[in-house]
Amino acid sequence: MYGSIFLNCWGSLITFSITFAIMYQVSIFPSQILLVSFFAALAAFILLFAVRYLIGYILYTPDDGLFEEFIEGTDENNSVQEEEDEISERDTNSLNQSSKMEFQDESSEEIAKLVRSMLSE
């Protein structure tokens, strides 16, 4: 829950004060003013438990580790992850093969000259 019982007490005190001020202008009997104000304060005290629970539920953020485990635990996401891994492996293999072909096409003498010129600069 968000907050504490102390907040419930403040809410019931504020409710009691507002109800007392409204009832003071409407009613002449002091017992009726106090009785209605106390019932309003009690109702506010109990209602604020639900309000605090609702605020805590809205502000709750799950732990990142638990959330990731939940996502990884589903079958759909596992198959998507496997497909992404296969695609990345294919891309890596194709890049390696193309780079090998580039070096195979050029002669070793040309590569050596290129390296020497780069080192001399």
Side-chain angles (χ1 to χ4, degrees):
M1 280 215 227
Y2 184 77
S4 64
I5 294 178
F6 188 64
L7 292 175
N8 287 28
C9 292
W10 274 107
S12 63
L13 180 65
I14 291 169
T15 304
F16 179 85
S17 301
I18 291 171
T19 308
F20 187 85
I22 291 171
M23 288 300 294
Y24 186 73
Q25 295 173 358
V26 174
S27 179
I28 301 173
F29 303 108
S31 60
Q32 185 180 7
I33 295 171
L34 288 174
L35 190 63
V36 171
S37 297
F38 276 121
F39 280 132
L42 182 65
F45 185 81
I46 293 170
L47 184 65
L48 282 173
F49 279 109
V51 171
R52 284 178 39 221
Y53 177 78
L54 183 64
I55 290 172
Y57 181 76
I58 291 170
L59 296 178
Y60 173 73
T61 34
D63 186 25
D64 290 337
L66 295 175
F67 185 69
E68 289 173 2
E69 289 176 9
F70 175 74
I71 289 175
E72 291 173 0
T74 59
D75 293 334
E76 296 174 0
N77 291 330
N78 284 342
S79 63
V80 170
Q81 183 67 28
E82 290 172 0
E83 291 174 7
E84 289 176 358
D85 291 341
E86 291 174 8
I87 291 171
S88 65
E89 285 179 25
R90 279 188 253 147
D91 291 342
T92 306
N93 289 339
S94 65
L95 286 174
N96 288 339
Q97 290 174 355
S98 65
S99 64
K100 288 178 185 176
M101 286 183 197
E102 289 175 5
F103 287 118
Q104 288 174 355
D105 291 342
E106 298 177 7
S107 67
S108 58
E109 292 176 7
E110 291 176 11
I111 295 172
K113 288 179 185 176
L114 180 66
V115 170
R116 285 183 198 135
S117 65
M118 290 174 71
L119 287 174
S120 65
E121 293 176 6

